[in-house]
Amino acid sequence: MEVKYKVISDDLADEIYKGYYNETKKLPTEEDLIEKYTVSRNTIRKAMDLLTRRGLVIPIQGSGVFLRGTLSKGCVNLEDFNGLTDSFGDAITTKVNSFKLISADKKLAKIMECAEGTPVYFVERLRSIDGVPYVVEYSYYNKEVIPFLSEEIVSKSIYHYIKEELKKSIGFVDRVITAGILNEHDARELGLIPGEPALISTNRAFMKNGVIFDYSIDIHNYKETKFLKLSNYM
């Protein structure tokens, strides 16, 4: 079960996307939200912090919480990594190209900070948004941390399964984004031409205890992908 502030944040995000606050450009007051959701002030503030990190609002001290000028819908938000399903919802479809259990070799074990020979689930997936190929994902999940995956599970949201079914707490994700060129296989999957540009995201995802559970290389369709990085003037 999701924590209350996350539920509130998702509810308010949905209202923002539906245009509930387009006229005022401002969210209800803290007191109104406390009354609406019957929660503590601290819970509302955590929900506001999450909305801020998602790029949807900006709090202005003494004035309230206002809609941010550029909404993050349609972007991969580098501030709040929860998987594509959180960003695109029902628009996402998944084709599983490969799913198997392997043993971590020396190189993979070093990257994932596990022992050589550790059982690892390997998953290759093509994710599309509204039918348009978006990203080819090559992912490795440490079986000692994620004890069970199936082809049915990986055909949906793996992160949702980890959080909701396994009840595990995801901590943070380190991401490195580079430019490259498409090989023949990835170009074919993305409906592009070999040698065209590729946006490559290399990720290591950690549980809250600091253990790596997922290492992935994502090859993005450069024509479709937008990354959002929020920055504050210091």
Side-chain angles (χ1 to χ4, degrees), residues 166-180:
L166 297 183
K167 305 298 182 186
K168 290 183 176 287
S169 298
I170 296 172
F172 57 95
V173 178
D174 289 342
R175 308 187 73 174
V176 177
I177 298 172
T178 56

Side-chain angles (χ1 to χ4, degrees), residues 1-229:
M1 184 176 180
E2 289 188 307
V3 293
K4 189 66 176 178
Y5 74 84
K6 176 69 163 53
V7 173
I8 294 171
S9 174
D10 289 344
D11 184 54
L12 289 171
D14 185 58
E15 291 182 349
I16 290 171
Y17 290 136
K18 289 178 178 176
Y20 286 17
Y21 307 108
N22 284 354
E23 187 173 340
T24 64
K25 304 296 184 184
K26 183 179 180 181
L27 292 188
T29 66
E30 200 171 77
E31 286 72 21
D32 287 341
L33 291 173
I34 290 170
E35 182 178 351
K36 176 179 178 179
Y37 292 105
T38 61
V39 294
S40 69
R41 189 175 303 276
N42 188 51
T43 298
I44 293 299
R45 288 181 176 177
K46 284 184 176 180
M48 292 302 103
D49 180 64
L50 188 52
L51 285 173
T52 302
R53 289 192 287 115
R54 292 170 69 176
L56 296 179
V57 301
I58 181 167
I60 298 178
Q61 190 170 6
S63 299
V65 179
F66 292 81
L67 303 193
R68 192 156 179 146
T70 302
L71 295 181
S72 63
K73 193 171 180 65
C75 297
V76 177
N77 192 335
L78 300 178
E79 304 291 328
D80 185 31
F81 186 82
N82 283 301
L84 285 181
T85 302
D86 265 21
S87 297
F88 299 101
D90 293 338
I92 284 280
T93 54
T94 302
K95 182 183 76 166
V96 180
N97 291 333
S98 181
F99 173 68
K100 57 187 176 182
L101 188 63
I102 64 173
S103 296
D105 60 17
K106 186 175 182 179
K107 180 180 178 181
L108 184 59
K110 183 177 181 180
I111 293 171
M112 298 188 71
E113 299 179 4
C114 62
E116 191 173 345
T118 297
V120 173
Y121 288 109
F122 170 73
V123 184
E124 180 195 333
R125 307 189 295 177
L126 171 67
R127 318 293 300 282
S128 299
I129 299 174
D130 291 326
V132 179
Y134 189 81
V135 61
V136 181
E137 301 174 343
Y138 299 91
S139 303
Y140 302 84
Y141 291 89
N142 187 334
K143 191 176 186 297
E144 293 181 352
V145 184
I146 309 300
F148 179 75
L149 288 175
S150 67
E151 189 157 347
E152 180 182 3
I153 291 168
V154 303
S155 69
K156 301 174 184 176
S157 171
I158 299 175
Y159 275 42
H160 183 271
Y161 165 75
I162 290 171
K163 292 185 291 183
E164 300 303 319
E165 301 298 325
L166 297 183
K167 305 298 182 186
K168 290 183 176 287
S169 298
I170 296 172
F172 57 95
V173 178
D174 289 342
R175 308 187 73 174
V176 177
I177 298 172
T178 56
I181 59 173
L182 291 169
N183 61 32
E184 187 172 331
H185 173 75
D186 294 333
R188 183 174 62 251
E189 290 295 305
L190 294 171
L192 299 173
I193 299 171
E196 282 195 294
L199 287 170
I200 304 168
S201 175
T202 303
N203 319 293
R204 293 198 307 168
F206 297 74
M207 291 296 177
K208 283 194 173 178
N209 62 4
V211 175
I212 297 171
F213 71 92
D214 169 28
Y215 166 63
S216 64
I217 301 169
D218 300 339
I219 313 297
H220 289 268
N221 184 333
Y222 77 98
K223 292 183 178 180
E224 301 294 331
T225 303
K226 296 183 291 183
F227 293 107
L228 175 69
K229 174 65 178 77

